[in-house]
Amino acid sequence: MKILITGTSQGIGKAIAEMFLNEAHQVIGIDRKDASIKHKNYIHFKCDICDHDNLPDINDVNILINNAGTQNENDIDVNLKALIHITEKYGVQDKVHSILNIGSASGHTGSEFPQYCASKGGVIAYTKNVALRVAKYGATCNSLDPGGVITPLNECVISDPVLWEQIIDETPLKKWATPEEIAQWSYFLTVTNTFCTGQNIVVDGGESINYNFVWKE
């Protein structure tokens, strides 16, 4: 299948792309950074998902994974508005098999930066809207809403021993997810799954049970 993934240069997006490539899919990545994946079945477009006028022309996408996002950097524009534009441009069409939005557990709990929570909360609602509209194509649309993930975006707290201890104390499983674990969920929800749709799946090691956000000042 033809897979389009945003934000593939590092972290979760890169792990998702590599998993699909390992399963012999054709993968197209969009990222504002240069490609970090070299594979015969991978095509990379270097562009900003917020630059709507310069997005590439890509037809007949079978699976769209909206992974690109930011934290405390124009969150609503990037995490929500651009995600909506990408989905309407590439995802809502008759060749689509599934759409997955990478949200956040914070969209459910509100326990993070205000605009970040608002943007991810919007993703939760928009996911349900899209699920209703792509159902006529036999397609699914869900959001995967992680808690803490070991990525460069979170390095400032991962590398702080005091904060990291506090964070782990708030997570019942006493660990954060790896990008590869989130990639496994992404593959399941877009390829294996054919019936669950319009749902917002929280994968956070039980962190949201505690509702206490810890971060670096």
Side-chain angles (χ1 to χ4, degrees):
M1 286 191 282
K2 182 186 287 188
I3 319 299
L4 176 59
I5 306 169
T6 62
T8 52
S9 68
Q10 63 182 14
I12 294 172
K14 183 178 181 181
I16 294 172
E18 289 175 337
M19 173 161 282
F20 276 91
L21 289 167
N22 289 337
E23 295 295 330
H25 294 282
Q26 177 188 357
V27 177
I28 302 166
I30 296 177
D31 199 292
R32 62 183 180 180
K33 297 181 179 179
D34 292 328
S36 60
I37 298 171
K38 292 183 179 180
H39 192 284
K40 64 180 182 179
N41 291 331
Y42 180 72
I43 298 171
H44 187 83
F45 290 98
K46 184 180 179 181
C47 60
D48 191 326
I49 59 171
C50 292
D51 187 3
H52 298 169
D53 294 332
N54 291 303
L55 291 170
D57 292 325
I58 306 169
N59 297 320
D60 300 336
V61 171
N62 302 125
I63 294 177
L64 170 63
I65 299 178
N66 285 304
N67 165 75
T70 190
Q71 195 175 51
N72 254 5
E73 183 190 342
N74 302 318
D75 293 7
I76 292 175
D77 287 338
V78 177
N79 298 345
L80 182 57
K81 291 182 178 180
L83 180 148
I84 291 173
H85 186 83
I86 291 286
T87 304
E88 299 300 328
K89 181 177 178 66
Y90 301 115
V92 184
Q93 40 83 19
D94 61 4
K95 297 298 191 297
V96 70
H97 172 78
S98 57
I99 298 171
L100 182 67
N101 299 321
I102 304 299
S104 172
S106 297
H108 298 261
T109 66
S111 60
E112 203 164 328
F113 310 109
Q115 288 199 24
Y116 183 81
C117 292
S119 69
K120 294 301 187 178
V123 169
I124 290 172
Y126 178 65
T127 294
K128 299 179 184 298
N129 174 274
V130 174
L132 289 170
R133 292 189 288 127
V134 299
K136 64 183 178 182
Y137 306 127
T140 64
C141 179
N142 295 289
S143 72
L144 176 59
D145 304 335
V149 183
I150 304 293
T151 68
L153 193 66
N154 296 318
E155 182 59 32
C156 66
V157 293
I158 294 170
S159 61
D160 186 311
V162 175
L163 287 178
W164 186 242
E165 183 178 0
Q166 294 178 46
I167 288 169
I168 292 303
D169 283 345
E170 293 296 327
T171 309
L173 286 181
K174 304 304 178 189
K175 66 176 184 176
W176 272 11
T178 65
E180 291 72 24
E181 286 176 303
I182 302 303
Q184 291 170 0
W185 274 95
S186 300
Y187 194 87
F188 171 79
L189 286 170
T190 55
V191 177
T192 307
N193 166 59
T194 59
F195 194 62
C196 174
T197 193
Q199 302 305 306
N200 311 109
I201 312 300
V202 177
V203 179
D204 71 345
E207 183 181 355
S208 57
I209 297 170
N210 289 323
Y211 295 93
N212 186 21
F213 176 58
V214 179
W215 199 255
K216 194 178 188 70
E217 293 184 1

